[in-house]
Every structure is written in structure tokens, then in C-alpha cells.
Amino acid sequence: MIQKYVFGRPFETEAVVLEMEAKEGVPEYGETSFGEGFVWTYRLGDEDVVYGLGEANRGINKRGYCYISNNTDIPEHTEDQRSLYGAHNFFVVSGVRTFGLFVDYPAKVTFDIGYTRMDTLKICCEEADLYLYVIEGESAYEIVRQFRKMIGRSYIAPKFAFGYGQSRWEYATKEDFYRVAEGYRKNHIPMDMVYMDIDYMQDYKDFTLHTENFSDFPEFVQGMKENHLRLIPIIDAGVKVEKGYEIYEEGVKNGYFCKREDGSDFVAAVWPGDTHFPDVLNPEARKWFGEKYRILTEQGIEGFWNDMNEPAIFYTPEGVEKAQKVVKEFLEDTEGKTSIFEVRDAIMNLANNEEDYRSFYHQADGKKVRHDKVHNLFGCNMTRAASEAFERIAPEKRFLMFSRSSYIGMHRYGGIWTGDNKSWWSHLLLNLKMMPSLNMCGFLYTGADLGGFGTDTTRDLLLRWLALGVFTPLMRNHAALGTRKQECYQFEHIEDFRHVIEVRYRLIPYLYSEYMKAALNDDLYFKPLAFTYPKDPMALQVEDQLMLGDEIMIAPVYTQNAKGRYVYLPEEMKFVKFLPDGTLSEQTLPAGHHYVEIALNEVPLFIRQNKCIPLASPAEYVDALDTKNLTLIGYKNTSYSLYEDDGIHKDYDLNKNTKILKY
Ligand code: GLC
């Protein structure tokens, strides 16, 4: 059962698709108070577990920390970060009382989950203008499923997007891309996508191509496609301020950019230098910006990643002026009144400064809305702009689309990647923990930068991370400018990398089928163990293993130099290892704790009792997969319902596209 409450005058985020009447009063759960803004508190039972919050730091059980929904360009995902790139304000309390809560409020929200007081969950919004949804159900899992129904069907990617992709912020010329393509093809490491980061553009101008490097872009795209590779360009939120640049000129002329209080176009510096932000909350401007994707789709592009859409601000002219003043004061100060720390802070605080977010406006619903009040909706609406445009460009076709910043609701328009992680073992584990929470909030097509984005990766970390990436719908290796080369063919024993990625391709029929079932049934692709085994107190505590679909459990190795790991099996399972020679080892393990050995070049998974999964033969790209000849592994005398469609169009009929495979 879902109850909707309305407080004040909320901004219509369009996160929820289910229509329902709002109830009078306040929720029966917790205590609602209004003072400065909106405060809701709930007394947690000792054993209560809190799930959800999507792209948030720390564990699957969110209890014990404080999280703030405030979309931020934050390349330091250290444990103390309270805000990342997304705002996913849905959680479930599971325990003494089990219920879910969705705070539909697009500005900053603080979730203090037993942080200030161990037994208190406290939510604060700066203003009491919001919708609150309370969901009751039998279990945390069942509540999540009701929530997912309420927010509408998750984005479905084309099938090629379930292949492997290589990315690096550095590729600039055609030769760079050919080198990557060749590195993979020559070494027979499967791959479907090569990502184009900002250097493909002319001076970082959205929807332009570097004139010297890409004079014959459509031929280049076509040539890559003949090699079964898709090029996936990045699109940034800020539009470069430059006289004569068509998109800039059009935006200024039509008033499609976010404006300052005085009506002038707001200026923020990002990669291109000064930019204006397209006002994607204004439907007309959103449509205009979305139409620009056509410039690239007409040249053969079938997928994009939207970036810097928190929106990220490196600095504003106003901010610089203030910082200059502080520096000047410091330099002219002969009495030592200004400290060097003030100077440092003035410079450090130039980027993503709260004051800047309070100094520009949107034209939404015919009203002028100050940005900070709807901050968490920017990335969502940028991606919505693209998705709505794809519907017009080719209504029957799927495009690959994922974004860095998001709000619940955006899950209908695209996926997300989890932003600028580092080549740290702890971030491999964070990747794993975040996945089920993201799924709960509707984001199914997700993944992290495999191998780590910032800092230098190592061969073992990349291999272990890929062995997790085998299972994440988005499987992309991405690295930052200046870091160690991270393409699989840069390392010793390339065959190990080939093997791990081949396992992904062998599993695609299964992974794709499970993805589609999850999307079409508003279900989870990744689940915490406790969702499948709610009565098992041990399963409740497991934070480093996940259930995938109905058939398997994954338990990747995430520790340096480890030769294996401990796993907990809530029931008897088949422990399967994909061995480097292409064969499999299968071992039935009883329920309980085990230490399992897993070499660097092996991929482990666990098949649940009385289940089986299909496997294809390896292929170098998705289109080459022979899905007609699948073998089954797992428990004999069982069957698997395989969902399969053409992977291109939107004919998603579950019944029509599902067949039973018997083992
Ligand atoms: C941002 C993105 C990263 C990208 C870089 C350059 O940091 O998160 O993925 O490589 O910008 O475009």
C-alpha cells in the first residue's frame, strides 16, 4: 500500500508515474515537524536495517552514517563523502516495522541514519515543499517492487550495450581510436564499444567534431561499425560561450540558457572555459537541446554519455572576483590579519560553490525557479532531453544513454555510471555495494569505471574488477588523462584479460535475459542476499556478495594478493569457476561458510539449488553470439526461462520473447 502526502507547494519532479490522491495530515510512521524546513524522525529498532539511497557511499545497509542528496561533481569518493552525483531519496526500513519512504524533493535532503543518534533516523529538507510517499508491504523486497512500479519502467539499453567497452580520457584522433580497436581485435579480446571523451569535440563545444581530426566523421563511424564497434561520444552540460558557435547563438537568441537574477545569461566555467547551461527544466529549451543529439545520430552515432551535469562548475566570474579580493588583501596585508588558509579556501571553494548555485534561475512551469531549489533535477532533465529526442529521431529504436548525474525518474530515460572513482581496491567493493541500492531506485543499466578512473591501476586490480564487471550491465573500462594506460592489451598475459571478457560474452544471453525480466517486471537485477533469504540472519549481514536474477549469486575477490575469499552460502549451491582454458569447474557446496580459491584469471559464480543458466560460446562482439546453441550449467532436471529479442527495437513482449530451456 502506498500513501502520498503533500506539504507546501512542491516542485513537480515527475519522478512518480502512478497517479494517486494525496492524503491529509502526516504519516503515521515517525514524527513530522515543520520549523526550519521539513523534519521527519523515526526511532530505529536495534536490529532495523536500512536499504536504498541508490548512488550513495558506504554499505548496502545504510545505517550508521549521514548521507546528503546534493548532486556534486566529486572525484574523491572517500568514505567521508556524503554527497555523490545522484539524488535517490528512497529507502526502506526493515525490522520492527518495515516500510519504505520516498522524499520527492529536488533540493538538498539530509538523511541522518543513526549517525547523530544511534537509534534515530532523521530526514531534513531546507523547505517544507515536498511530496512524501510511504510504502507498506510484507518485506523490504516487496516494498521496493511497489516503489519501482510507482516510478515507472527502467530504461532498456540496446543489446550491444551489454558488450564490453573501452574508454579513456585522452583519445583524440582517429588513429587513437583505431589503435584501441586494433589492440582489442588483434588480441581477440571481445569488445563492442569505444567511448569518445571530450577531445573529439572542437574546443569542447557540444555537438561539434574536431575539424582536423574528424573531417569525415560518418565514414569513420561506419568503418568502425563494419568492425562491429560503436563509437559512444560524451556530451557535457555546459555550452561554450563563443560568438558564431551555432548552439550558443541559438540558445542566447531564444532565451534557452539559465539566467542570472537580472536576466543575463549565467556564466560558469567548465572544460571549454566559459559556458552557459541549457535550461533543461524548461520544456521548450529541453526540446531544443535534445534535438542537437540529432547532429550526431545523423552521422551514425547510436549512444551517448552525458557528463558534468550536476551541473559541475569549475568557477564563475563572480566567484573569481571574490577570490581575487581575498588574494589581494592577503598580499597587501602587512599586519598578518589574513591567513594563508583563507586564501587557500577562497581558491578551493571556487568550484561547485553553493553561492553560485543560488545565483541562477530556470524557467520551469512558466515560473522562474532558483536553481538550488531544483538542483538535483539538472542531470535528470539533460538526459530526458536526449531520450525524448531519441523518441522523435527513431521511435522504434533503442539508443545507449547513460548519465553521471541523476534523480529518481531519470531511470526511465537512461542509465548511470558511478563517476570518477579511483584505482583502489576499496572502490571495487564500493562498486559492488552500490549496485543493489541503485537497482532499488530504478537504475538498472549501471556500472563503475572498471580498473578505476583516477590514479594508476594495476594488472591484478583490473583483472579482479573486470571479474565483477562481467556481471554489471554497463561493463566499461575507463581511465583519466595522465594515469597509467589501462586498456587490457597494455598488460602482461593478455590471454587472462581475453578470458575474463570472454566469460562476459558467454554469459550475455543470461545477463541480458535477467536484465530484461528485471526491467519489464519492475524487479531487481541485483539484490542483497537478505532479499532472497529474508529468514536467514546471516544473509542479512552479507555486504560483499550479491544475488543476480533468480539463479545466481556473485562473490568477487576484492583484496590485493588474495588467492580466494570467504563466502557465505545461505543454501547449497554449485560453485562454478570459468577456468582460463575455457573449461569450467563445478563443485557442489553445502550451505554455510567456505573459503574458495579463485585465481586472478578465473571468474567465479554460484548457481542456486535447482536452477540452471544458459551459456553461449565466446564471441568477439554481441552480434556474433550464437544464441541458438546455448548450453546449460547448474542443477540437472531444471529449466530456465530465456528472454530474447532482437536487441534493437522495442518489441518487449515477455510472453512472446521467452522460451523455456530444459537441462
Ligand atoms: C569527468 C568525467 C570523466 C571524464 C572527464 C573528462 O571527470 O566523470 O568520466 O573522463 O570528465 O571528460
Side-chain angles (χ1 to χ4, degrees), residues 169 197-198 234 236 271 305 307-308 404 417 419-420 449 453 476 478:
W169 172 16
D197 207 319
I198 48 175
I234 194 170
D236 279 355
W271 301 123
W305 46 311
D307 192 21
M308 308 304 276
R404 193 170 72 177
W417 94 100
D420 298 346
D449 288 349
F453 173 75
R476 181 177 79 144
H478 180 46

Side-chain angles (χ1 to χ4, degrees), residues 3 16 42 75 122 148 170 185 206 214 262 299 416 483 496 499 518 528 559 569 594 608 659:
Q3 280 166 347
V16 173
Y42 179 74
K122 184 173 176 188
R148 291 280 307 285
E170 190 178 72
R185 289 290 183 251
D206 276 344
F214 298 105
D262 66 5
Q299 303 189 61
I416 56 173
T483 58
D496 290 344
H499 167 63
T559 315
L569 270 52
H594 300 273
R608 294 179 63 194
K659 63 172 181 246

Side-chain angles (χ1 to χ4, degrees), residues 312-336:
I313 297 178
F314 292 170
Y315 58 85
T316 60
E318 293 84 351
V320 169
E321 204 175 299
K322 274 194 206 127
Q324 273 170 336
K325 251 192 222 146
V326 177
V327 175
K328 193 159 171 268
E329 267 167 35
F330 177 75
L331 295 174
E332 290 170 359
D333 177 11
T334 49
E335 292 159 39

